[in-house]
Amino acid sequence: PRHPPVTVEREWDGGGFRLHYVRYPVEADEEAHAYLAVPDGPVPAGGYPGVVCLHGTTNWGARLALGLPPEPGDPHGAKGAAGLDIARQLARRGYVTISPEHFCAARRLPPEGPFDTAAFYRRHPRWSAAGKYVHDSSVACTVLAARPEVDPARLGVTGHSLGGQGSIWLAASDARIRCAVPSGAGPTFRENPEPLHWSRDRWYVYFPQLRREFLAGRTVPCDVHEMMALVAPRPLLDCFALNDGDPTSQAHRALLHLRLHDLYRLLDAGPAHAFLVFGDGHSIPDLSRHAILSWMDRWLKHGGAPLGGWQERPTPAA
């Protein structure tokens, strides 16, 4: 929908920002739910920048993004990596954020359990879960951009794990996203030792259409680095750990960024591309969280200007 009507179901104080639990249509007969966080105080001239915050494979991941516990009595609980409250951090820093619930979790929990896409494919046998994810995320972006407190020219996206992958896909396919920071996203098709995970036959099935290609050992024509290339020349920071899964595939992820940087340089946008590698596994350590916030500030608040910092001082004369 171009202008989805938004219904506010609940509103409360989030501690430095107002929280709104909202619902809106994503298909003719389907609604999504999301948490909107709006900073306290007067809205600056031109509005706040806005960020879409996508969660990983945790049933109440949208709540974790705001530092909230799972819904009371939820049998699936909430688990995930440390530092997942990135939407809360951004809201306290002067961003309006939207944290949508995934289409097979939380309020839209399928009968098979969280993140099982069987019910989705019964409804849409010719679609892909990845495509549905991008569609719903783009509608969330529309809801965010329509907020009166938001400057629609300054929108970003971030997310961890599945949310990191969704961040790449959303930024690649929606030109309204001006800054993207994926965290802990999946490995490339080519360098993944078990690429069939992208097209498995159970639980969360990303691309059922690619299963035949993977089983035959054929190279899929479009891989993750080419999806990232679609983001250029808009700012992109990729955060990942060398010890998150197969170390060899993660090392290749660092190498793909060297090729991707060639593209950014070709487009005269070298400073708009960066990647951060650490050794904290599938998490968002302090180093990564600070980098995410700093990257968003630079490109969504300061127009890409360096934020300053340490500079070498001349040695004083003897």
Side-chain angles (χ1 to χ4, degrees), residues 183-184 239-243 276-285 287-288:
S183 168
C239 303
F240 60 96
L242 283 176
N243 60 341
L276 175 66
V277 187
F278 47 87
D280 289 271
H282 198 59
S283 68
I284 306 178
L287 173 67
S288 183

Side-chain angles (χ1 to χ4, degrees), residues 4-55:
V6 178
T7 301
V8 179
E9 294 191 352
R10 298 202 308 272
E11 182 180 349
W12 67 101
D13 180 19
F17 52 88
R18 294 296 297 174
L19 268 173
H20 309 260
Y21 187 58
V22 302
R23 57 181 169 87
Y24 49 87
V26 288
E27 295 182 42
D29 57 351
E30 183 182 12
E31 288 187 319
H33 286 77
Y35 294 87
L36 274 161
V38 181
D40 289 340
V43 179
Y48 293 107
V51 179
V52 180
C53 298
L54 302 175
H55 65 85

